Amino acid sequence: MSTRRNSTTDKRQKSQYRLAFAEESRGAAPMAFEEGTESELAKRTAESPATEQWVKEVCERENCKQALRRVKANKGSPGIDGMTVEQLPGHLKEHWPAIREQLLGGTYKPQPVKRVEIPKPDGGVRKLGIPTVLDRFIQQAVMQVLQRSWDGTFSEHSYGFRPKRSAHQAVEKAQQYQAEGYRWVVDLDLEKFFDRVNHDRLLAKIAERVSDRRLLKLIRAFLRAGVMENGLVSPAEEGTPQGGPLSPVLSNIVLNELDQELERRGHRFTRYADDCNIYVRSRRAGERVMSNVTRLLTTKLKLRVNREKSAVARPWERKFLGFSFTNHKQPKRRLAPKAVARFKERVRELTHRTRGISLAQMVHELTEYLRGWIGYFGRCETPSVLEELAQWLRRRLRSMVWKQWKRGTTRYRELRKRGIAAQEAAQTAGSSDGPWHLVNTPALKLALSNAYFASLGLPELTAHG
């Protein structure tokens, strides 16, 4: 039954792609979308399109279908017009010919992004700009074309927002440098990088390779679309708002100059988006590199270095992409203290007893968070820390359940139901000790055992360590 339902869903999605991009021009034959077939798009090399072909490639059918799939997979909330991701295929089915005409004619005008603020773990807020779903789709299509042309020219030390590259690889490279004896790090923090990118300089860099003025105009329109906040639209004079698909590749284009300069100077470094670490053999060398690179960033790239957050230090005293390192000759990856603090804060939010949901539902929501967390932080090489967190997590859940039982009679009944002897159940239920102490007693560890939480679906943090 499940296979039939999945097959029906796949057919519906394929139908949406065919309908949305049924014909690109008068007389063009409809081309069925077949999953698994190698498209002409995939066969292309990273060579730049001809002078006036950039926007045409953006609008090319396979590119658009790939962009639509990506936007649908990423989901996300609506922009200022309220259109959802689910409504996008129908909108394209009706309006794509007109939209395509605007793109090819250089007259497409993006809508302002919606301002969303999310709290930063270390205080303050990160300002995101959420484009409309339609603009996200077009940005994705543009990003794919730019990425195919640029990615092969990016530095091998750049790991952020690139195909077949990841934060884990960046962290492993940092670990390798330390094992080779480069045990001082120049930890650069770019102050509000995404908010400070100079538009003219960025577009001039893109224009070195892109000769299609329509695409340059479209990218500038996305950069200058403005931000809607509390019903008012503010113009954007600089920056690439985080939240749209185009921002990451534009940031890599900007920082590729930094990568090239660091390579020219022979530095050992690793960069993921605006997180950049340079590894050297001594503090003196680190301070010299910090001074030179800061001068490069401020004078040439027109960016600011946050001097309070940047430092020359030992790698095990700093964090990089949520990880830190041990100070062994062969360093091991460990969880950064802030990553541990964020984990506990999120678990406390999900397990608060006043949420008014069942334990099974709470564990279900907790499991969704934990699976993502394990997928990333499970790569740490200090399993004892993961085991301590797992013990803390189960103790937290036992404490929450004990508080929910409230009355002594309820607690006694629940303990007896779970196989605890009458005398021990009575002593535990009538104890004046606080929940956090009581849940560490043998009676509650047996009544609410590890196996019990596993039966509810709670994953082991150490299973992927």
Side-chain angles (χ1 to χ4, degrees):
M1 188 68 179
S2 175
T3 303
R4 186 182 304 168
R5 183 163 52 249
N6 290 340
S7 176
T8 302
T9 301
D10 290 343
K11 288 178 180 177
R12 186 182 302 116
Q13 287 182 346
K14 292 175 185 178
S15 176
Q16 287 175 341
Y17 298 138
R18 282 198 300 269
L19 289 170
F21 311 108
E23 294 188 5
E24 288 195 349
S25 61
R26 189 185 301 270
M31 181 172 58
F33 171 74
E34 295 181 10
E35 197 73 54
T37 59
E38 186 180 23
S39 67
E40 288 300 315
L41 191 63
K43 297 177 184 176
R44 291 182 185 158
T45 65
E47 293 180 359
S48 301
T51 303
E52 296 299 327
Q53 298 301 308
W54 285 86
V55 171
K56 189 173 181 181
E57 184 169 342
V58 169
C59 297
E60 196 266 345
R61 202 152 175 262
E62 286 296 320
N63 189 58
C64 287
K65 287 194 290 185
Q66 182 182 339
L68 181 56
R69 285 195 299 272
R70 177 56 56 191
V71 170
K72 286 167 69 71
N74 289 343
K75 301 179 181 178
S77 59
I80 63 171
D81 63 354
M83 184 191 298
T84 65
V85 171
E86 292 75 21
Q87 294 171 323
L88 179 59
H91 181 83
L92 290 173
K93 175 186 173 184
E94 183 176 354
H95 299 287
W96 175 243
I99 295 168
R100 182 175 183 273
E101 197 65 30
Q102 291 173 22
L103 291 169
L104 292 173
T107 60
Y108 182 82
K109 292 184 178 180
Q111 296 191 64
V113 298
K114 181 170 71 175
R115 170 67 74 219
V116 174
E117 294 183 350
I118 58 174
K120 287 184 177 180
D122 53 354
V125 294
R126 175 174 286 109
K127 293 185 177 183
L128 300 183
I130 308 301
T132 65
V133 173
L134 176 60
D135 285 341
R136 289 211 293 272
F137 161 73
I138 296 173
Q139 282 194 32
Q140 179 68 32
V142 172
M143 184 277 286
Q144 290 166 183
V145 172
L146 291 180
Q147 192 169 65
R148 283 195 294 273
S149 178
W150 253 276
D151 194 73
T153 66
F154 286 151
S155 168
E156 63 175 308
H157 304 286
S158 168
Y159 294 91
F161 310 111
R162 297 181 60 192
K164 299 180 181 179
R165 287 178 169 257
S166 69
H168 289 143
Q169 293 172 334
V171 173
E172 288 166 4
K173 178 58 72 171
Q175 188 177 5
Q176 177 188 325
Y177 290 144
Q178 294 169 54
E180 292 171 354
Y182 296 86
R183 297 170 70 82
W184 287 89
V185 61
V186 180
D187 187 356
L188 289 167
D189 184 280
L190 299 181
E191 184 176 327
K192 297 182 178 179
F193 166 71
F194 287 93
D195 297 331
R196 299 197 186 280
V197 170
N198 183 285
H199 290 176
D200 291 336
R201 202 172 189 290
L202 169 59
L203 287 163
K205 181 58 63 175
I206 296 173
E208 291 176 6
R209 191 172 305 184
V210 175
S211 53
D212 189 335
R213 292 184 180 180
R214 297 169 301 174
L215 184 58
L216 295 172
K217 182 179 179 182
L218 179 62
I219 294 172
R220 182 180 287 276
F222 278 121
L223 291 172
R224 303 292 294 274
V227 178
M228 178 173 283
E229 194 169 9
N230 300 321
L232 298 175
V233 177
S234 304
E237 301 297 335
E238 61 180 359
T240 61
Q242 296 182 75
L246 194 53
S247 181
V249 72
L250 295 182
S251 69
N252 276 334
I253 290 172
V254 171
L255 291 174
N256 193 47
E257 281 191 81
L258 170 64
D259 298 340
Q260 290 174 341
E261 185 61 26
L262 293 177
E263 286 180 343
R264 189 184 69 80
R265 299 180 185 187
H267 289 310
R268 288 157 177 81
F269 71 99
T270 178
R271 182 178 66 78
Y272 188 96
D274 57 337
D275 284 315
C276 183
N277 278 3
I278 307 168
Y279 291 85
V280 295
R281 290 190 181 273
S282 68
R283 175 183 285 278
R284 184 177 179 181
E287 289 172 347
R288 183 177 65 250
V289 170
M290 173 70 83
S291 176
N292 292 339
V293 174
T294 299
R295 190 180 309 115
L296 167 71
L297 288 165
T298 53
T299 59
K300 189 175 181 181
L301 274 68
K302 309 300 181 185
L303 297 171
R304 296 183 190 175
V305 174
N306 188 326
R307 296 181 183 275
E308 291 184 3
K309 293 185 178 181
S310 300
V312 176
R314 295 292 197 177
W316 49 88
E317 297 171 349
R318 307 293 292 178
K319 66 179 179 69
F320 182 52
L321 302 175
F323 290 93
S324 189
F325 306 92
T326 64
N327 62 353
H328 299 115
K329 188 173 182 180
Q330 294 295 324
K332 294 184 180 296
R333 297 184 298 275
R334 65 180 179 88
L335 298 181
K338 286 186 178 180
V340 174
R342 286 198 298 271
F343 172 84
K344 290 188 173 183
E345 181 183 357
R346 183 60 180 148
V347 169
R348 288 189 184 100
E349 292 172 358
L350 291 170
T351 59
H352 203 282
R353 69 188 180 98
T354 59
R355 293 189 63 204
I357 60 176
S358 68
L359 177 62
Q361 177 62 26
M362 185 175 289
V363 170
H364 174 73
E365 294 179 11
L366 186 60
T367 297
E368 287 186 347
Y369 167 70
L370 291 176
R371 282 178 179 155
W373 191 90
I374 292 167
Y376 186 75
F377 288 107
R379 299 285 289 273
C380 85
E381 297 173 316
T382 51
S384 60
V385 176
L386 293 178
E387 180 54 39
E388 288 173 8
L389 285 177
Q391 292 174 4
W392 176 85
L393 171 60
R394 289 190 291 265
R395 191 172 180 181
R396 172 80 187 172
L397 286 170
R398 291 186 185 108
S399 178
M400 186 275 302
V401 172
W402 189 249
K403 290 175 184 177
Q404 283 187 339
W405 287 347
K406 291 184 180 178
R407 299 169 60 185
T409 54
T410 303
R411 289 171 172 174
Y412 175 80
R413 184 175 65 251
E414 293 293 342
L415 289 172
R416 291 288 290 141
K417 188 191 300 182
R418 287 164 170 77
I420 307 302
Q423 184 176 355
E424 192 173 9
Q427 288 177 344
T428 306
S431 174
S432 60
D433 289 334
W436 192 249
H437 172 78
L438 275 175
V439 296
N440 230 20
T441 59
L444 272 168
K445 281 189 173 182
L446 181 61
L448 299 171
S449 65
N450 295 0
Y452 169 69
F453 290 119
S455 71
L456 294 176
L458 189 71
E460 282 285 343
L461 295 188
T462 53
H464 303 270

